[in-house]
Amino acid sequence: MNNKDNFLDYIFEINSDLNRTRSASGEVIVEMENKGFTNRIAQKFFKKPAVSHIHLPGMGSFIFGCINGKRTVFEIGALLKDEYGDEAEPLYERLSLYMKQLQNSGFIRQVSPLHELPAD
């Protein structure tokens, strides 16, 4: 991310190799395979699962459902405000942190800032 870029103009998409489902209540459940040497040891000796199921409750599931590779963070924030109203405040601070957490966890990836998209 460039210092001149505004994070609210960024567009994200869900990683295509991410396994996810929705529960009956609408909650997104992401399946993360626990890979690597230390995870294999933990699975063998400490009976840790090979796959973790990460639940995204409430607003998390709503935000995740809004990420489509076309909407900016700002647009997702507007949808979040429409859905949750004042409960979402402080809106953009929380949304930016959440989006960065999703990105750092490998759930989503940045497509591009809005101003770099080709014209339709």
Side-chain angles (χ1 to χ4, degrees):
M1 178 158 43
N2 188 327
N3 284 341
K4 295 178 183 177
D5 293 335
N6 183 344
F7 186 77
L8 298 179
D9 290 337
Y10 275 69
I11 298 170
F12 291 90
E13 68 182 5
I14 297 170
N15 282 332
S16 59
D17 59 345
L18 190 67
N19 292 325
R20 63 196 182 276
T21 58
R22 279 205 184 260
S23 69
S25 65
E27 181 178 76
V28 173
I29 303 167
V30 178
E31 296 178 3
M32 289 284 295
E33 187 175 347
N34 297 315
K35 301 177 185 177
F37 179 72
T38 55
N39 280 317
R40 280 182 286 188
I41 290 174
Q43 290 164 18
K44 184 171 184 164
F45 295 108
F46 303 110
K47 308 296 184 215
K48 296 293 180 182
V51 176
S52 294
H53 299 276
I54 301 162
H55 296 253
L56 304 177
M59 281 189 224
S61 288
F62 181 82
I63 293 167
F64 202 78
C66 291
I67 299 169
N68 64 1
K70 296 177 183 169
R71 290 187 181 113
T72 64
V73 174
F74 181 81
E75 292 169 330
I76 293 170
L79 293 171
L80 190 61
K81 178 72 172 172
D82 288 345
E83 183 73 16
Y84 287 93
D86 290 338
E87 187 181 338
E89 295 297 336
L91 178 63
Y92 289 105
E93 293 88 354
R94 290 173 71 186
L95 179 58
S96 295
L97 285 173
Y98 190 72
M99 296 292 283
K100 288 174 185 177
Q101 286 176 333
L102 289 174
Q103 184 179 25
N104 290 339
S105 298
F107 292 179
I108 63 173
R109 70 177 190 87
Q110 180 184 332
V111 176
S112 70
L114 181 63
H115 64 276
E116 290 182 5
L117 287 178
D120 288 344

